[in-house]
Amino acid sequence: MAEPLRLLPPAEGQPPSLPRNVEAEAALLGALMIDNRLVEDVQLKLKPEHFFEQLHGRIYDAILRLVDRNMVANPVTLKPMFDADEAMRELGGPAYLAQLTGNGAALIGARDFAQQVYDLALLRELIGVGREMVEKALDTSDAIDPKGLVEDAETALYRVAEQGGEGGGTKSFVQATRMAVELAERAQNSGGHISGVTTGLADVNARTGGLQRSDLLILAGRPGMGKTSLATNIAFNAAQRWMRDVADGIPPEKSLGARVAFFSLEMSADQLATRILAEQSGVVGSKIRKGELSRDEFNKFARAAAELEELPLYIDDTPGLTIAALRTRARRMQRKHGIGLIIVDYLQLLTGSSRGGGDNRVQEISEISRGLKTLAKELHVPVMALSQLSRAVEQREDKRPQLSDLRESGSIEQDADIVLFVFREEYYVAAREPKADSSDPKIDESYRQWQQDMQDAFQRAELIIAKQRHGATGKVRLKFDSSITRFSDYVDDSYLPAQMP
């Protein structure tokens, strides 16, 4: 008859009231040593730190290490690893390992034991977070930042919630195939061949299939190219499409639009709202800022504001966000509002979560780009991050950006699923305006040539698709109206119907 199993008292410093089931831990370990194949079922979720009894955690870790090396994990092979273990000696030495295998019936309920050990660990972790929150909240010294404590608490709670998550684990080919068919069906039924979130720009949708879920998109350009304008255009188009689809009775999960979270680290929320209202009302933005609107223009502006009151576009203009804080806020917004698209303006204004003080900016940018890609996969939404380009562009005769121009880190290119560059020839042509002088034929001719170049480049823009995991690279021609900062589909004059004289 097997010797009765002896268990250690609760670990030192652990109050007896903490949720635990040491017997379930012992039964699970016994089952794993009897049948090592069970390790495959539990190791993805269950970690050594989930065991209440620390000795059990060390035994579990040793089992995992042996199995990983394709060795049999049983009391005999584990014995040398615990000869010097003080906690094991208190229980009679390595013979305790043999006692754990004494209950063969534990094989039947091994998975249930593992689930219970995991669940109780989460409860203990939750209690720990709660205690820490209370202790910090009771500290009323000047150094305490209440808002920072709230963000820390949210991060800690989310960390508890995501422990051992299996949502991103292995999927059978049947599951993967079903998801692929759903995407194809969505594109087929859209009429515009869109499987992701619409950009509102037909040619861009045709090239990319829309903004795909779990993708990190980088939208880059030199200052003055219109990065923020294009981002606000896309944000508005996606939010408006979601609102229209819901009004038409289309289920939210089948909508080609999305509720949008816009993290603006450069512009304030009211500046962004003014820009979007200028785009949609057709009122020149500079007139809005200067208060030079006519009565008719003001009515247009106010009417656009009234129509867009319910627009599902949420703006966070908190400056100096860390990548960790941004991820926390994005999770909160998705829980609260069901966010389906995240835009960050812009990547270089984020800071890393490390305490290194930004000594290595390239490493910090790498951490930020990886964090944004992780966020896209974690929330299963497209994340579009705007990015600055290096000044190397200005040194070339052809100012069109290249992947090597991405500023500060090659990891941006590596982590991104799609890299887009905004380019406007008009910006550079306008900058080289010559002096007009009709008395000098050469100067006059160069001015006429410049006028012709300006006419050719007027309101024309290019969106260069420099990298795309899902399709071909290339460029899309767009129209850009700088007075209202609006991008739209480009229509060649040669395709327009002939005008009556």
Side-chain angles (χ1 to χ4, degrees):
M1 186 174 175
E3 185 182 339
L5 186 66
R6 294 173 58 204
L7 298 172
L8 280 174
E12 186 179 349
Q14 297 280 11
S17 57
L18 282 178
R20 66 200 186 277
N21 187 342
V22 182
E23 289 78 10
E25 294 177 2
L28 173 63
L29 293 174
L32 294 178
M33 285 188 283
I34 294 170
D35 186 353
N36 289 172
R37 291 173 299 179
L38 293 171
V39 170
E40 297 175 9
D41 296 334
V42 301
Q43 68 177 347
L44 283 178
K45 174 176 281 193
L46 198 63
K47 309 298 178 192
E49 57 268 25
H50 290 146
F51 287 80
F52 177 82
E53 171 49 59
Q54 294 178 12
L55 173 61
H56 289 165
R58 292 196 294 277
I59 295 172
Y60 178 70
D61 183 53
I63 293 171
L64 294 185
R65 281 187 281 131
L66 286 179
V67 171
D68 187 53
R69 288 171 8 214
N70 291 321
M71 293 177 64
V72 173
N74 60 28
V76 176
T77 56
L78 288 166
K79 179 182 178 297
M81 305 169 76
F82 291 92
D83 280 334
D85 193 293
E86 288 296 330
M88 186 78 81
R89 283 179 185 171
E90 290 183 33
L91 296 173
Y96 177 68
L97 295 168
Q99 292 179 46
L100 290 173
T101 60
N103 185 5
L107 285 169
I108 301 171
R111 293 177 185 83
D112 293 333
F113 293 146
Q115 184 64 47
Q116 189 178 70
V117 170
Y118 171 76
D119 289 343
L120 292 172
L122 285 193
L123 291 176
R124 292 195 299 274
E125 186 74 19
L126 197 56
I127 290 169
V129 170
R131 283 178 178 159
E132 188 177 358
M133 287 168 58
V134 170
E135 287 172 7
K136 288 183 177 179
L138 289 173
D139 185 353
T140 56
S141 63
D142 293 341
I144 295 301
D145 174 19
K147 289 185 178 178
L149 290 181
V150 172
E151 286 193 0
D152 289 345
E154 283 190 331
T155 302
L157 287 170
Y158 194 87
R159 194 164 53 243
V160 173
E162 68 182 358
Q163 278 185 30
E166 295 177 292
T170 306
K171 293 180 175 65
S172 69
F173 191 69
V174 172
Q175 291 173 298
T177 303
R178 191 175 296 124
M179 292 167 67
V181 171
E182 286 173 1
L183 279 176
E185 183 183 17
R186 180 186 173 93
Q188 195 67 25
N189 294 338
S190 70
H193 312 296
I194 306 170
S195 57
V197 175
T198 183
T199 63
L201 301 164
D203 291 340
V204 178
N205 285 340
R207 283 295 188 106
T208 63
L211 310 180
Q212 303 299 317
R213 286 164 174 77
S214 301
D215 271 8
L216 172 60
L217 302 99
I218 298 297
L219 176 60
R222 288 292 294 157
M225 291 295 104
K227 298 185 299 295
T228 301
S229 298
L230 182 55
T232 56
N233 290 173
I234 291 172
F236 173 83
N237 293 337
Q240 187 187 51
R241 178 60 183 263
W242 188 91
M243 200 163 59
R244 193 167 69 236
D245 284 352
V246 169
D248 291 343
I250 296 172
E253 64 273 11
K254 293 192 175 181
S255 171
L256 296 180
R259 294 183 173 106
V260 182
F262 200 114
F263 289 90
S264 178
L265 286 84
E266 186 175 37
M267 298 174 66
S268 65
D270 59 296
Q271 288 174 322
L272 272 180
T274 300
R275 184 174 279 208
I276 291 172
L277 289 172
E279 294 162 8
Q280 301 311 312
S281 64
V283 177
V284 176
S286 60
K287 285 189 172 184
I288 298 170
R289 289 190 298 274
K290 295 175 184 176
E292 297 176 350
L293 300 181
S294 66
R295 182 177 294 276
D296 183 53
E297 287 172 331
F298 185 83
N299 288 338
K300 282 183 182 178
F301 183 75
R303 191 160 51 246
E307 289 172 357
L308 301 179
E309 278 183 353
E310 301 301 319
L311 191 73
L313 173 57
Y314 307 94
I315 300 171
D316 186 325
D317 60 358
T318 308
L321 280 176
T322 64
I323 182 62
L326 183 140
R327 289 174 66 180
T328 298
R329 287 165 183 254
R331 293 172 191 135
R332 185 197 310 164
M333 290 173 81
Q334 191 183 56
R335 286 197 306 270
K336 188 174 180 182
H337 302 296
I339 294 301
L341 168 63
I342 295 171
I343 297 178
V344 182
D345 183 15
Y346 58 92
L347 186 150
Q348 280 81 9
L349 288 178
L350 285 169
T351 56
S353 56
S354 62
R355 300 288 187 263
D359 294 337
N360 190 331
R361 183 59 177 162
V362 171
Q363 252 182 350
E364 192 175 20
I365 291 292
S366 298
E367 180 197 348
I368 290 166
S369 65
R370 280 195 307 271
L372 291 172
K373 176 59 184 174
T374 302
L375 180 65
K377 291 188 70 176
E378 184 182 292
L379 300 187
H380 194 51
V381 301
V383 173
M384 174 180 284
L386 278 59
S387 177
Q388 293 282 23
L389 292 178
S390 69
R391 290 190 177 91
V393 176
E394 310 298 338
Q395 313 307 317
R396 297 195 298 264
E397 189 167 340
D398 184 356
K399 310 295 187 189
R400 285 172 176 79
Q402 303 168 2
L403 285 171
S404 58
D405 297 322
L406 283 169
R407 190 169 160 187
E408 291 178 307
S409 177
S411 68
I412 297 176
E413 175 190 346
Q414 179 183 322
D415 293 326
D417 297 282
I418 296 181
V419 177
L420 306 169
F421 294 125
V422 190
F423 174 73
R424 293 195 301 117
E425 184 72 33
E426 181 183 4
Y427 177 87
Y428 293 105
V429 174
R432 63 171 192 258
E433 178 182 2
K435 292 180 180 179
D437 187 352
S438 56
S439 63
D440 187 331
K442 289 184 178 179
I443 294 178
D444 193 40
E445 176 59 32
S446 68
Y447 189 78
R448 279 199 297 270
Q449 182 59 52
W450 173 81
Q451 285 181 314
Q452 181 61 49
D453 292 344
M454 276 297 290
Q455 185 176 342
D456 293 342
F458 181 64
Q459 291 193 345
R460 295 189 180 188
E462 292 177 12
L463 186 64
I464 302 166
I465 305 172
K467 175 187 177 181
Q468 184 177 198
R469 290 196 205 277
H470 317 295
T473 57
K475 64 183 180 183
V476 177
R477 297 171 75 183
L478 298 172
K479 177 183 176 183
F480 178 65
D481 188 339
S482 58
S483 64
I484 58 173
T485 63
R486 182 197 286 168
F487 283 87
S488 54
D489 291 307
Y490 179 80
V491 180
D492 197 313
D493 291 344
S494 61
Y495 287 94
L496 293 173
Q499 300 292 317
M500 294 292 290

